[in-house]
Amino acid sequence: MSGAPTALEISTQPRPVYVIGAGPGGLAVAAALRARGVRAVVVEKADTVGASWRRHYDRLHLHTTRRLSALPGLAVPRRFGRWVSRDDVVRYLEKYAEFHELEIVTGVEVTRIEPAAASGDGGDSGGWTLHASGGRVLTAAAVVVATGFNHTPALPDWPGREGFTGTLLHAADYRNPRPYEGRDVLVVGVGNTGAEIAVDLVEGGAARVRLAVRTAPHIVRRSTAGWPAQRTGILVRRLPVRLVDRLGALVAKASVPDLSAYGLPRPATGLYSRVRQGAIPVQDVGLIDAVRGGRVEPVAAVESFDGAEVVLADGSRITPGVVVAATGYRRALEGLVGDLGVLDERGRPCTHGARTPAQAPGLYFTGFTNPISGMLRELARDAEKIAAVVSRRVRPVA
C-alpha cells in the first residue's frame, strides 16, 4: 500500500465509496481504498467494529496463522501468538481502524441498495443510493458489501422443535461451557464450530457430549511438524480437483486415524471436491482424541423433536438436556440487494472480489466465500483488488 492521502485529497471527492460492514473485510477494503486516495465510508449497524467476532465463543482461535491473517497495511502483533485468539482478533481490528484513520459510522443499518440516476459525469455508472435506518438516504459512487459470512444464524425448522422441553440454542449464542457443567448436551453439526464446541463442553465438565453428524467431515491436523494446514491449502487451491482429492486421501491416512468404529467414517467424497461444494475440512483442535476416548460420541443426524426427546435419523431417540445447533448461518442479503439480480439460488453473491455484476456495475462483494487458503488472507487479497479497480472508476475531482 502506498502512503496515506491527505485529508484535502480525499475531501475533494463528491461521493464516497460506501462499505457496508465493519468486520475484517470491510475495514480492509476501506484501508486499501484510502491508500489510493479514494474516500471510503464504512457503515456498521452495530456500535463498534468487529461485531461478529465479539459474539463468537470464548475459546475460539484462528485456524490460520498470525502471519497469514494480517489485513493490508498492518501486521498482526507477534505477541498474539501463532494462533490468534478471538479477543486478540478484536483488538487487532480496533487498532486497524485507528491506525488507518478509517471513516466509520456506527449504529446505522443499510437496508436497501438501488441504482442512482445516471450522473452524466462520463462514468459508466450513475452510482448507488443507499437507504438506511433513521430515514437516511446516502449517495455512493460505488458500494462494497461486506456484511459477513456469519451474518444470520440458521436454525433448521425441525418438526417438534417448538415443543422441545430442554434448552435449544444456536452456536451463535454459545459462549463457554460453564452453564452446561454436569449436563447432557447434544451438539448438532460437525463443522469447525460444532467440533470445537463439543471439545469445549467436554473439557468444561459437561456430563455427556454427543455430536450429531449428517455427513462425515474431512478432518485435518491444524499443523503437522510445524507446517500449518493453511499453507497446504494455499499451495493446492489452483491444482486439479481430482489430484488434490488423491493427495488429501494419502495425507489423511498418514496423519488422521480411522474413526469409523466411533461413528465418524472417512468421507467417500474427496476433500477438495467437498471444498468446492462449500464444505471446509474440520481442523482438529482436540476432536480426534475426544472421540477416541469416548468423551465425544458421534450419533446420527437430528430428524425431529418429541417433547424431551430428540429423534435421530437412524430411528433412535435420545434425551439431552441441552441442544446446541452448530448449523451455520445465512448471508441474509435478500432485503439488501435481492431485487438486483446479483444473488444465486442459495442467496449468495454471483460475483465476489474485484468482479462486479454486469447488471450492477460498481457493486462489489467481499467475505462471502470460505476458502481453503484462509478467510482473512483472502479478504486482504480481495481488498487490494477491489481498491485497484474502484480507484480507476472513481476519479477525484480536480
Side-chain angles (χ1 to χ4, degrees), residues 232 235-236 239-255 271-272:
T232 301
L235 290 175
V236 305
L239 295 178
V241 173
R242 289 185 180 181
L243 175 59
V244 179
D245 282 348
R246 291 171 186 165
L247 293 173
L250 292 173
V251 171
K253 289 181 179 178
S255 62
L271 184 150
Y272 204 31

Side-chain angles (χ1 to χ4, degrees), residues 26-337:
L27 298 180
V29 169
L33 286 169
R34 191 177 195 282
R36 289 167 173 79
V38 178
R39 183 187 176 203
V41 179
V42 182
V43 183
E44 168 59 50
K45 70 176 182 179
D47 59 1
T48 187
V49 303
S52 64
W53 275 95
R54 297 171 193 272
R55 294 193 298 267
H56 287 315
Y57 48 93
D58 294 349
R59 74 171 279 157
L60 178 65
H61 285 67
L62 291 180
H63 291 163
T64 55
T65 65
R66 170 183 56 81
R67 294 184 64 182
L68 294 175
S69 300
L71 302 180
L74 184 67
V76 180
R78 290 178 59 87
R79 69 178 183 277
F80 287 175
R82 193 182 197 197
W83 311 106
V84 183
S85 72
R86 178 205 64 183
D87 289 348
D88 282 337
V89 170
V90 171
R91 292 186 183 98
Y92 173 69
L93 296 179
E94 291 173 338
K95 180 62 177 178
Y96 191 84
E98 177 186 353
F99 178 82
H100 288 295
E101 300 179 336
L102 301 182
E103 189 175 349
I104 302 173
V105 179
T106 60
V108 174
E109 180 179 8
V110 177
T111 56
R112 190 172 84 257
I113 301 172
E114 62 185 17
S119 62
D121 62 2
D124 58 1
S125 170
W128 296 91
T129 297
L130 284 63
H131 298 269
S133 55
R136 298 174 179 85
V137 178
L138 311 172
T139 302
V143 178
V144 182
V145 180
T147 50
F149 192 84
N150 296 339
H151 187 276
T152 301
L155 190 64
D157 189 19
W158 289 299
R161 187 188 76 185
E162 299 300 327
F164 180 54
T165 58
T167 300
L168 172 63
L169 68 150
H170 191 274
D173 297 314
Y174 176 90
R175 294 294 174 269
N176 58 64
R178 285 192 294 272
Y180 315 106
E181 185 175 354
R183 303 189 70 180
D184 184 334
V185 185
L186 171 67
V187 179
V188 183
V190 68
N192 279 292
T193 297
E196 190 158 1
I197 287 176
V199 173
D200 197 35
L201 287 162
V202 165
E203 295 177 353
R208 186 176 188 180
V209 178
R210 284 172 283 203
L211 184 59
V213 180
R214 183 170 299 279
T215 304
H218 284 277
I219 302 175
V220 299
R221 301 288 188 182
R222 185 168 67 173
S223 179
T224 302
W227 179 265
Q230 181 189 8
R231 286 199 177 276
T232 301
I234 294 170
L235 290 175
V236 305
R237 66 175 307 197
R238 302 298 182 190
L239 295 178
V241 173
R242 289 185 180 181
L243 175 59
V244 179
D245 282 348
R246 291 171 186 165
L247 293 173
L250 292 173
V251 171
K253 289 181 179 178
S255 62
V256 177
D258 186 356
L259 302 176
S260 299
Y262 303 94
L264 278 180
R266 295 190 190 278
T269 307
L271 184 150
Y272 204 31
S273 293
R274 292 282 297 277
V275 168
R276 296 293 291 270
Q277 297 167 5
I280 296 297
V282 170
Q283 295 202 22
D284 179 46
V285 290
L287 179 66
I288 292 173
D289 288 343
V291 169
R292 296 178 77 185
R295 294 175 296 146
V296 171
E297 308 166 49
V299 297
V302 171
E303 287 293 306
S304 63
F305 289 78
D306 185 8
E309 295 183 322
V310 178
V311 183
L312 303 180
D314 61 4
S316 61
R317 291 171 174 255
I318 59 176
T319 312
V322 180
V323 175
V324 181
T327 46
Y329 295 79
R330 294 186 296 105
R331 310 295 88 80
L333 293 169
E334 291 80 3
L336 191 65
V337 296

